[in-house]
Amino acid sequence: MTEQQEASKDAVMTRIGQAVMLLHGGDREEARNRFGALWSEIGEDGGALHRCTLAHYMADAQDDPGDELAWDLRALTAADGLSDERAAQHPDAPAVRALYPSLHLNLAADYVRLQYPGAARIHLDRARAASVVLADDGADDGYGGGVRAAIARLELRLREL
């Protein structure tokens, strides 16, 4: 990868991060606008990690559960783009694999909100299975523990349905 390509890649992730900060700061509309502009720039043929990360956060910026589901499905589709044997050698493959537990967890939560408990259980099972790639020792800054805790909470909620 050339220096220019590397800088461009970093710039995309930086811009995604800036929009995420807006989202977490409560400015959902501006976050959606920036995510949308970025999605238009990188397009359906952009890098899988960029598309996956962007769609994953764009889903969180949606007000309508159906729109959230559509973006979460885009994120999973992008991640699946690096799941075949040849693509598994791609440098972004480990980062994408680490997102699978969260991707499936979000889909499970979407299906709960949309009152499809069967589909929710399928994705919750997939989230749990995919969570084996997450660190247990705290080296992941709490990401793995947070995802596992969210899986457990959603599992309890599904038992009530």
Side-chain angles (χ1 to χ4, degrees):
M1 182 178 295
T2 68
E3 286 183 41
Q4 185 177 16
Q5 288 171 321
E6 188 66 35
S8 175
K9 181 178 177 179
D10 290 344
V12 170
M13 292 306 272
T14 297
R15 290 174 62 201
I16 291 170
Q18 291 168 340
V20 169
M21 289 183 348
L22 287 168
L23 177 63
H24 290 167
D27 194 347
R28 295 169 63 84
E29 184 175 354
E30 182 60 23
R32 270 192 306 269
N33 291 339
R34 291 192 188 192
F35 288 140
L38 254 172
W39 186 261
S40 294
E41 286 177 34
I42 65 173
E44 292 287 331
D45 297 323
L49 181 60
H50 289 152
R51 288 182 296 117
C52 180
T53 303
L54 180 56
H56 188 53
Y57 285 111
M58 177 63 122
D60 293 340
Q62 301 307 305
D63 295 325
D64 179 83
D67 292 339
E68 185 172 359
L69 173 63
W71 281 103
D72 280 330
L73 288 168
R74 283 183 187 102
L76 183 61
T77 299
D80 286 345
L82 286 179
S83 67
D84 69 27
E85 187 175 315
R86 183 181 49 116
Q89 303 305 315
H90 191 279
D92 289 336
V96 171
R97 274 193 300 278
L99 286 173
Y100 269 101
S102 183
L103 295 172
H104 284 293
L105 176 63
N106 284 1
L107 284 165
D110 294 342
Y111 285 121
V112 166
R113 279 189 291 281
L114 292 167
Q115 300 180 8
Y116 293 109
R121 285 183 183 89
I122 290 168
H123 283 284
L124 189 60
D125 288 345
R126 290 177 183 167
R128 191 179 310 100
S131 70
V132 300
V133 302
L134 302 176
D136 282 328
D137 61 5
D140 61 8
D141 297 325
Y143 174 72
V147 170
R148 282 188 198 81
I151 289 169
R153 284 191 306 272
L154 190 57
E155 188 170 45
L156 290 173
R157 187 171 169 200
L158 268 172
R159 286 182 190 156
E160 297 171 356
L161 296 180

